[in-house]
Amino acid sequence: MSGLMDELKKRQKNTENVMKKVEQMISLNEMDEQKINVVSRKKGVQFYKKNQTGEYRYIPKMEKDDAIKIIQQQYYRKIYESTKKEVKLLSKLENFLEKQSAENIYHNLGKGKQKVVTPIVMPKDAFIEAWLSEEYTGKPFNENSPEFYTDRGERVRSKSEKIIADKLYREGIHYRYEYPLELPGWGVVYPDFTILDAENRRNIIYEHFGMMDDENYSSNAIAKVQRYASAGYHIGDNFFITMESSRNPLDSRTLDGIVQQLKS
């Protein structure tokens, strides 16, 4: 909801700026009410002005500049009236969403009623809390696997995964490590990170491929990306990846860019 509200407020601000800019350009000249018709020709345009009898007369070349000024002013007035109406409608919509949206109707119930009502649309905070509290069994570790622990105390499989997990945690991005996911035609997989997109009530997958100089590993990584794509996970939307090799470690700038996209 807050993502939509932010977009509405941004739209309203931009529209208000256009309205104020155009307002300064509008003149109060009575001539601006004249009816001007413009006909496109191969060599340019011709102007015609409507007279008192309702007929259009040709405007000679020497009066063309005045005709253009009138048309420009009429354009400004249309823009002004349109933006004025849009600002008013956006304000009403924002007010409605803040008070009457499905999420806020539940939120505005008394505490007692909230305990006995099953919400059709769960408020964002409650949705996040439920997502975070869900218990699951991740992929088991091999007995001799090296141990890496994140700042929030969970075990991961590599130093790079720890860096990623700690970055997500510091930035307030909710995630699950190796949460099981059923992919059609492939079975259960365990993505490195399943990230919550609370605004759109969906999960985002983030995979880190850490041994890309290994031929078998890189081949499997490509196949994995293709399987995700066939299941509806597309890079830059609901699917993100980082890669590294022995010569090219995890790029912190790439990780920062992904984090900014996840937060936007």
Side-chain angles (χ1 to χ4, degrees):
M1 175 62 73
S2 63
L4 174 59
M5 291 295 291
D6 289 343
E7 288 299 318
L8 289 175
K9 290 182 184 298
K10 181 179 178 181
R11 174 73 184 190
Q12 181 174 353
K13 183 177 180 181
N14 290 339
T15 306
E16 286 174 345
N17 288 337
V18 172
M19 183 179 70
K20 291 175 182 177
K21 181 178 180 180
V22 172
E23 188 177 18
Q24 295 173 354
M25 299 177 178
I26 295 175
S27 73
L28 299 176
N29 193 333
E30 292 183 0
M31 290 182 60
D32 296 341
E33 301 299 329
Q34 297 181 56
K35 302 290 185 180
I36 305 292
N37 192 19
V38 182
V39 178
S40 179
R41 304 295 187 190
K42 287 185 178 180
K43 294 184 178 181
V45 294
Q46 290 180 337
F47 298 86
Y48 297 84
K49 181 169 66 175
K50 192 174 185 179
N51 60 26
Q52 293 180 348
T53 63
E55 297 178 335
Y56 282 90
R57 74 167 182 84
Y58 175 73
I59 299 176
K61 191 174 182 180
M62 60 185 296
E63 298 177 21
K64 183 178 70 172
D65 290 343
D66 289 336
I68 292 174
K69 290 178 181 179
I70 291 171
I71 294 169
Q72 185 70 48
Q73 280 297 314
Q74 291 171 350
Y75 167 75
Y76 286 152
R77 292 186 183 186
K78 287 181 179 180
I79 292 294
Y80 178 76
E81 292 301 323
S82 175
T83 52
K84 186 177 179 180
K85 289 179 181 178
E86 183 177 341
V87 167
K88 190 174 181 179
L89 287 171
L90 287 171
S91 180
K92 286 183 177 180
L93 179 56
E94 290 170 19
N95 184 61
F96 173 82
L97 291 175
E98 287 175 350
K99 296 180 179 179
Q100 299 297 326
S101 67
E103 296 96 323
N104 284 328
I105 288 174
Y106 176 81
H107 180 76
N108 292 331
L109 292 174
K111 295 295 183 182
K113 290 182 179 180
Q114 286 182 1
K115 291 181 179 179
V116 298
V117 167
T118 300
I120 298 297
V121 181
M122 189 177 293
K124 181 180 174 181
D125 291 344
F127 182 80
I128 293 173
E129 183 179 352
W131 192 90
L132 291 173
S133 63
E134 181 182 339
E135 295 184 0
Y136 67 93
T137 302
K139 187 177 179 179
F141 288 87
N142 294 328
E143 185 177 348
N144 297 323
S145 297
E147 296 187 14
F148 300 93
Y149 290 90
T150 68
D151 289 348
R152 72 178 194 179
E154 66 196 339
R155 184 179 178 184
V156 294
R157 298 181 187 276
S158 69
K159 181 178 179 181
S160 293
E161 287 186 351
K162 169 179 165 52
I163 292 172
I164 295 169
D166 290 343
K167 178 72 172 179
L168 296 175
Y169 180 60
R170 287 196 304 271
E171 295 292 335
I173 297 173
H174 302 300
Y175 73 88
R176 296 165 174 164
Y177 180 71
E178 293 191 340
Y179 178 80
L181 171 66
E182 180 82 28
L183 287 184
W186 199 9
V188 176
V189 297
Y190 295 87
D192 294 331
F193 302 95
T194 300
I195 294 167
L196 174 62
D197 177 3
E199 295 297 337
N200 298 300
R201 307 295 169 101
R202 65 173 184 167
N203 290 337
I204 294 175
I205 301 303
Y206 180 176
E207 289 277 19
H208 176 68
F209 300 111
M211 297 186 295
M212 293 302 289
D213 43 5
D214 182 288
E215 185 175 350
N216 289 332
Y217 181 94
S218 61
S219 178
N220 289 333
I222 293 171
K224 200 171 187 180
V225 171
Q226 292 173 339
R227 291 288 181 90
Y228 276 120
S230 65
Y233 291 93
H234 303 292
I235 293 177
D237 176 27
N238 56 353
F239 182 46
F240 292 87
I241 63 172
T242 44
M243 297 179 290
E244 67 177 310
S245 65
S246 57
R247 292 186 177 181
N248 298 282
L250 174 64
D251 186 350
S252 61
R253 292 170 297 182
T254 301
L255 178 56
D256 289 343
I258 290 174
V259 166
Q260 289 306 310
Q261 283 186 263
L262 293 172
K263 293 178 68 176
S264 63

